[in-house]
Amino acid sequence: MILKDLRLSPLRSILTSVSMLVGIIAMLGSVLVGTLGREYLISVNAQVYGWSPTYSFVITESDFHDRNKMEQLFQRFEAIDDVAAVTFSMGEDIRFAPMKDLTPIPPNDVYQNLMAFDLVCTTEAYSQVYNLPMTSGRWLEPSSEGGSLEVVINKEAKNYFNDSPYAAGNVKSTLSLTPFNIVGVVNDGRDFPTIYADSAAILNFAPAMWQVQNANVYWHPTTGLTIEQIHSALGDILTDTIGGYWESAGRSDIGDTYDSVLSIHFLRRYVGI
């Protein structure tokens, strides 16, 4: 029958075959683009809100200024099998300025260029809770590595620091400048200058800057823990280290709502709605 159709209407048969081929290619292309688009959207979401699921907690009334207890806290979080990061909110802004080299007496323009950035004072695991690809250099090292005063800047902040190897840190309550090594540039998806600082290093080497008011924990479970087990583990860590209280702030990632939007969007594309 097919051979007969080809003999009777060769042009029509060829056009029909071509249109079917185009349709198949278009369908495969749509599926491929949809898959790549979904992965891209998930990646962008993880840059801003954290990998799904990420649970956030507020820590208050803890002994943030006891160095021994804080070191125990850092060790406990590094030892857990899940991925969890801690960020600290300071009572006084830490200002930064570019510094070309380390000199006993910094030039006056360093003081003139001091400005407050969006500061994320955190732990090494922060880059695993969030999707933070490095543009250059490396991320912060674990506190167990001994540590040094170092920061990672985002792409927007790089426009301010240019190629300076150091960032001079200062709080208004003191005239002293503390040099931080700029060890990397990160693509965090933010459109405003942001600096990521090693909290353990500030605690140990720049105590004048360590004016913590409260902390946040971002917990991304990777081992199948339930939310109840996470609550229990977090309570045990605080009890054994700095004490205080924790309060759940829900999920920091968009979570199920985001997944639902994705599912509906790509279902509509698939069925041609």
Side-chain angles (χ1 to χ4, degrees), residues 80-265:
I80 67 174
D81 294 327
D82 281 349
V83 177
V86 189
T87 63
F88 299 91
S89 301
M90 299 297 176
E92 185 175 0
D93 288 337
I94 302 177
R95 302 176 300 165
F96 293 92
M99 179 179 280
K100 293 294 184 181
D101 49 43
L102 300 177
T103 58
I105 303 178
N108 290 331
D109 63 345
V110 174
Y111 287 96
Q112 296 170 357
N113 292 329
L114 286 170
M115 63 176 292
F117 289 80
D118 190 73
L119 176 65
V120 181
C121 186
T122 188
T123 54
E124 181 267 342
Y126 191 87
S127 65
Q128 301 172 52
V129 174
Y130 292 83
N131 177 29
L132 300 178
M134 300 301 299
T135 301
S136 63
R138 62 170 176 82
W139 182 252
L140 305 171
E141 292 183 340
S143 62
S144 58
E145 298 294 328
S148 61
L149 284 170
E150 58 187 31
V151 295
V152 171
I153 60 178
N154 72 347
K155 295 171 68 175
E156 291 296 321
K158 189 178 186 304
N159 297 330
Y160 181 75
F161 287 95
N162 295 317
D163 295 324
S164 299
Y166 307 103
N170 167 266
V171 288
K172 289 184 178 180
S173 58
T174 177
L175 293 176
S176 64
L177 294 175
T178 303
F180 290 77
N181 294 306
I182 300 177
V183 298
V185 180
V186 68
N187 178 16
D188 59 1
R190 299 187 179 193
D191 58 0
F192 49 90
T194 304
I195 294 178
Y196 299 86
D198 180 4
S199 54
I202 294 178
L203 169 68
N204 290 322
F205 305 121
M209 296 180 177
W210 189 256
Q211 303 177 27
V212 179
Q213 291 185 322
N214 54 62
N216 291 82
V217 173
Y218 300 95
W219 194 302
H220 173 53
T222 58
T223 60
L225 289 183
T226 65
I227 187 62
E228 291 77 15
Q229 290 172 321
I230 293 174
H231 291 170
S232 177
L234 179 58
D236 289 343
I237 291 174
L238 292 179
T239 299
D240 296 341
T241 58
I242 60 175
Y245 302 93
W246 64 267
E247 179 180 350
S248 175
R251 289 176 60 165
S252 63
D253 65 295
I254 295 178
D256 295 332
T257 301
Y258 183 81
D259 293 336
S260 299
V261 170
L262 278 177
S263 299
I264 293 172
H265 173 70

